[in-house]
Amino acid sequence: MLQVVFRSQLTTLLSYLDIQRLCLAAARNNRKASITGFMVECGGVFLQSLEGQVCDVSETLDRIYRDSRHDHIEIVYSEQDVPRRRFGVWAMNVMFLDDDIFWTKVFGSGYSCDEMLSQPMEPAFAIGVLAMAYRHACSVVGMDPAATGNRLGRIPRIRHMIRR
Ligand SMILES: Cc1cc2nc3c(=O)[nH]c(=O)nc-3n(C[C@H](O)[C@H](O)[C@H](O)COP(=O)(O)O)c2cc1C
């Protein structure tokens, strides 16, 4: 299984609702392709993890690259032969991180949202933020972050898309 983490920047202003709709459409597509993942958004920057079979992830990435709603797409991290899904609960879900206080309160003082804006992005920062946001989202909605069970990648409910 392949895991890819990428960062990109919005080209046009999208509302929270627009991004939630984008995430729902992504989740529906991903579910069909047995892809799971998670993304965060902060200040118009996206950070997203995709996991699945190499050909499925590559095909999805090709489509994502062609999407004019974002640009400056940068693969921050990529790992082949990942033994198990690290973001297996949802086919895709989004968490909004546009709040400095939230960063310090939940992620600790080692993390600042300013780093979301820097390019190239540090892989350790990207993985750290995604993993902490994913665990937080799972705990808020009462899901086990490690449990995928027999069900592969749920479609998130809008209220499970965490906005702070
Ligand atoms: C930041 C960002 C992340 C996206 N992530 C996904 C994704 O995980 N899966 C997906 O199918 N489409 C994703 N998309 C949307 C695709 O770029 C593309 O619009 C969509 O796959 C087209 O699907 P459709 O033909 O069903 O409309 C993403 C778009 C953006 C801007």
Side-chain angles (χ1 to χ4, degrees):
M1 190 159 36
L2 172 69
Q3 185 195 11
V4 172
V5 174
F6 74 87
R7 172 202 185 278
S8 69
Q9 235 158 293
L10 278 178
T11 48
T12 45
L13 198 63
L14 294 184
S15 66
Y16 286 115
L17 189 60
D18 291 334
I19 296 173
Q20 287 172 328
R21 286 192 179 128
L22 182 158
C23 177
L24 263 185
R28 291 194 185 108
N29 287 343
N30 291 354
R31 188 150 217 257
K32 287 185 209 142
S34 302
I35 288 175
T36 54
F38 194 74
M39 66 176 152
V40 296
E41 187 276 340
C42 181
V45 173
F46 287 106
L47 190 57
Q48 178 171 333
S49 169
L50 288 170
E51 298 165 330
Q53 295 308 312
V54 177
C55 54
D56 298 323
V57 172
S58 305
E59 191 269 329
T60 299
L61 268 177
D62 283 347
R63 257 183 297 119
I64 293 175
Y65 267 102
R66 289 197 296 272
D67 193 324
S68 61
R69 288 172 291 184
H70 64 163
D71 64 5
H72 292 91
I73 302 168
E74 168 199 348
I75 302 290
V76 180
Y77 177 83
S78 168
E79 188 181 340
Q80 289 248 24
D81 304 324
V82 177
R84 59 171 191 85
R85 292 172 190 269
R86 291 165 180 157
F87 300 89
V89 167
W90 292 285
M92 185 52 61
N93 197 1
V94 62
M95 182 165 165
F96 298 97
L97 294 176
D98 293 303
D99 181 350
D100 284 340
I101 297 165
F102 176 80
W103 279 75
T104 331
K105 207 170 73 186
V106 178
F107 295 170
S109 55
Y111 287 85
S112 146
C113 59
D114 293 343
E115 277 187 71
M116 286 285 285
L117 306 176
S118 66
Q119 246 191 323
M121 183 178 274
E122 280 293 322
F125 170 81
I127 301 282
V129 165
L130 276 172
M132 286 187 298
Y134 173 72
R135 275 201 303 272
H136 182 78
C138 287
S139 80
V140 169
V141 304
M143 307 252 213
D144 175 359
T148 52
N150 296 324
R151 299 181 58 177
L152 187 61
R154 293 161 188 257
I155 307 292
R157 293 162 198 263
I158 293 277
R159 66 186 158 84
H160 289 178
M161 298 179 186
I162 315 292
R163 185 182 155 183
R164 294 279 158 204

